[in-house]
Amino acid sequence: MKMWSGRFRAPLDPEFERWQRSFDFDKRLLKQEVEASSAHARALKEAGVLSSDELISILEGLQKITAQANDEKFLDDPEAEDVHHFVEKQLVKLIGDPGYKLHSGRSRNEQIATDLRLYVRAAIDQLQHDLTALLAACVLCAGKAADNAMPAYTHLQPAEPVLVAHWLLAYFEMFSRDLDRLADCRKRLNLCPLGSGAVAGTTLPLNRNAMASSLGFDCPTGNSIDATSDRDFALEFVNDLTLLSLHLTRWAEEMILFSSQEYRFLTLPDAYSTGSSAMPQKKNGDLLELTRGKAARLIGNATALMVTVKGLPMAYNKDLQETQQPVFEATETMLALVPLVTGWMRAVEFDFEVMQEAAQSGFMNAFAAATYLTRRGVPFRLAHEQIGKAVAICLDKGCELQDLPLEELRQLNPAFQQDFPSSLTLQAVLTIHDVPGATAPTQVKQAIVEAKRKLASMKEETHAHA
Ligand code: ARG
């Protein structure tokens, strides 16, 4: 039986009927639909609409339905309009007419709003867990990198030497923000639309607080018009995922670059690479390239969501059905991707010798050299100019700043002393960057300790949700 055929005199165009259904994709919400329906059923019983026996048979019927949630055959129902219709049909099949009582005082508008929130909340919980594992992998790599150095680039030109660990912890910071954003999104979404009805609120005296708390929501939503038409949580969530995926493209791009013959900073892990069907020597970083490529989909999903709600009048409009697939695709993409990235990070081997070697040449100590003069009273702008001239001389001679004879340096500025070369060793240059958040080895050690402390508290929080 349809959920709404009474006032129709003519049947639907069959093509239209098939086309407007959402069950093909919203079957993913079966578990959430059953959970929300169980909460509603309990409230109906409290309101005197269901007898105790009816409640029990509805709850048992709903349990039987979720038990088959992964059975493709069970879900193959070309007649179900959407997941709400499907559950009602199955329930009636299992327990007969009392199944039709479940829809008393509610609307699919509040159901889909609730189911989708539950889905996004569960996805956030899983992603928080997965991202914590990725952060742990970054810290693990940073620990393994010990005091080895590498070039840091600006404009993709060698800039200054940094510890490899410092570079890896930059990703820790980036992904930590992603984790924070998800936690923040979770807070805002954790309100329960049940009891909002179609738009004006339920017509029965249902206990909204009880429904909300039985589903783990903090409290009921504040306004039935807003609650049935709001998809902000979906937009926020998918935008958060998009930013995460953009971060992953930056990570992937660097790893691709650093794995190339031109850099040789790392060896692509066999377990996450593929070969070429034509060129036998090839090993390609497919995981990294696909990571870069997936961001396009995420941006598409986020854009689709934003455009769907643009100019949409209150309250529920069927357009909102179109918000589901972008959420599902973004979620499924990221749930699959993040653990793979973590696996890659655990498997990758950096060539610390090559990295360290690359950090020793190319005038990456020029900033430190200018600072040497600054410390001896030379105004920085002049020091910059003079070291720039020294670099030009080195370029002609084919040497580094520390190789220039003292007399030659003194012609540029008499402030140069014997100790100039020793202030330009890799160790000396790293060490002068000695404030929290900078690359001096003691600071990086401290940053690793801090990162581990953060990780431990993140793990506690994820457990709290689980
Ligand atoms: N399948 C619908 C959706 O996803 C459920 C809500 C339908 N509501 C309605 N008034 N037709 O949005």
Side-chain angles (χ1 to χ4, degrees):
M1 182 174 178
K2 275 205 179 346
M3 295 183 99
W4 43 260
S5 52
R7 64 98 69 214
F8 283 74
R9 297 217 178 107
L12 289 190
D13 172 86
E15 201 49 48
F16 166 66
E17 172 150 37
R18 214 171 307 128
W19 175 81
Q20 55 92 41
R21 284 188 184 131
S22 53
F23 187 54
D24 245 4
F25 49 87
D26 67 17
K27 55 176 117 176
R28 288 172 177 78
L29 299 174
L30 187 68
K31 204 172 131 246
Q32 289 80 1
E33 172 69 9
V34 164
E35 274 174 36
S37 292
S38 305
H40 178 74
R42 282 188 217 100
L44 284 177
K45 153 78 182 52
E46 290 311 308
V49 179
L50 295 179
S51 69
S52 297
D53 286 349
E54 284 169 334
L55 174 65
I56 290 168
S57 74
I58 286 177
L59 292 180
E60 283 175 357
L62 289 172
Q63 273 325 307
K64 283 189 190 139
I65 295 171
T66 7
Q68 299 176 76
N70 297 324
D71 179 349
E72 278 303 320
K73 256 221 194 101
F74 174 64
L75 296 176
D76 181 18
D77 180 351
E79 248 132 59
E81 185 173 323
D82 53 25
V83 68
H84 322 293
H85 186 209
F86 176 79
V87 170
E88 182 176 280
K89 279 179 67 190
Q90 293 299 330
L91 189 62
V92 170
K93 206 161 154 195
L94 285 166
I95 68 166
D97 274 0
Y100 287 128
K101 287 197 172 183
L102 178 59
H103 207 60
S104 313
R106 74 172 181 177
S107 154
R108 284 183 294 163
N109 300 352
E110 63 180 306
Q111 284 173 258
I112 184 59
T114 306
D115 295 357
L116 210 50
R117 278 178 194 248
L118 289 172
Y119 176 92
V120 171
R121 192 178 71 187
I124 290 177
D125 290 348
Q126 184 59 46
L127 276 162
Q128 282 180 320
H129 171 270
D130 295 350
L131 272 175
T132 307
L134 174 57
L135 289 170
C138 293
V139 176
L140 185 80
C141 288
K144 280 198 220 151
D147 276 353
N148 287 294
M150 67 183 287
Y153 301 84
T154 62
H155 313 266
L156 208 48
Q157 302 293 337
E160 291 188 275
V162 290
L163 288 194
V164 176
H166 192 51
W167 167 64
L168 291 164
L169 289 180
Y171 284 110
F172 180 92
E173 291 293 317
M174 208 187 228
F175 299 140
S176 302
R177 288 195 297 276
D178 294 313
L179 196 61
D180 261 16
R181 256 186 293 274
L182 287 173
D184 206 42
C185 173
R186 190 188 196 283
K187 261 184 238 153
R188 250 185 310 280
L189 79 69
N190 206 28
L191 306 176
C192 185
L194 290 189
S196 299
V199 60
T202 177
T203 48
L204 294 170
L206 302 181
N207 183 341
R208 294 196 66 204
N209 284 323
M211 290 192 285
S213 75
S214 78
L215 291 170
F217 285 114
D218 295 332
C219 60
T221 48
N223 179 293
S224 61
I225 303 174
D226 176 53
T228 47
S229 70
D230 171 32
R231 294 295 181 272
D232 289 2
F233 61 95
L235 263 79
E236 232 184 299
F237 173 58
V238 174
N239 274 291
D240 290 351
L241 293 189
T242 304
L243 190 43
L244 165 61
S245 109
L246 291 176
H247 288 160
L248 288 171
T249 68
R250 298 185 67 182
W251 168 84
E253 175 64 17
E254 282 214 305
M255 297 302 166
I256 291 169
L257 204 62
F258 291 164
S259 72
S260 67
Q261 277 306 301
E262 288 64 31
Y263 283 83
R264 293 186 298 110
F265 286 0
L266 60 95
T267 310
L268 291 172
D270 279 5
Y272 297 95
S273 308
T274 63
S276 155
S277 59
M279 296 164 282
Q281 87 283 10
K282 292 272 279 181
K283 178 155 77 165
N284 301 323
D286 284 24
L287 177 134
L288 302 169
E289 292 165 30
L290 284 171
T291 299
R292 224 171 31 186
K294 295 281 181 202
R297 276 175 194 271
L298 268 289
I299 293 167
N301 296 145
T303 309
L305 285 172
M306 290 188 282
V307 181
T308 306
V309 301
K310 180 185 177 294
L312 199 68
M314 295 278 198
Y316 178 84
N317 295 268
K318 192 82 175 227
D319 312 37
L320 290 174
Q321 184 165 288
E322 293 294 311
T323 61
Q324 294 185 33
Q325 281 160 300
V327 172
F328 297 147
E329 185 178 343
T331 303
E332 286 165 12
T333 303
M334 296 314 275
L335 282 179
L337 180 57
V338 175
L340 288 170
V341 169
T342 304
W344 191 99
M345 275 301 254
R346 289 202 191 112
V348 69
E349 282 187 21
F350 294 103
D351 191 330
F352 296 122
E353 244 171 67
V354 174
M355 292 171 115
Q356 175 106 349
E357 187 56 36
Q360 313 255 19
S361 55
F363 309 106
M364 275 179 276
N365 50 11
F367 197 176
T371 305
Y372 172 92
L373 288 179
T374 308
R375 286 206 164 129
R376 280 152 190 82
V378 181
F380 183 77
R381 191 51 55 224
L382 299 181
H384 183 288
E385 188 66 16
Q386 287 152 7
I387 297 296
K389 287 203 167 109
V391 168
I393 297 171
C394 290
L395 284 170
D396 287 342
K397 291 192 162 183
C399 68
E400 293 282 328
L401 286 168
Q402 58 272 30
D403 305 325
L404 285 180
L406 190 56
E407 313 78 69
E408 211 162 333
L409 289 165
R410 285 230 168 114
Q411 279 166 21
L412 291 167
N413 192 317
F416 282 110
Q417 306 286 330
Q418 290 286 0
D419 61 352
F420 180 62
S422 66
S423 74
L424 295 188
T425 62
L426 182 58
Q427 211 43 43
V429 175
L430 289 167
T431 312
I432 58 166
H433 295 83
D434 195 15
V435 293
T439 200
T442 49
Q443 298 292 351
V444 175
K445 253 186 210 99
Q446 191 49 41
I448 292 183
V449 171
E450 189 54 26
K452 284 186 179 158
R453 198 192 52 72
K454 271 197 206 161
L455 262 179
S457 73
M458 284 168 196
K459 276 185 191 147
E460 257 168 47
E461 266 169 50
T462 359
H463 285 314
H465 288 323

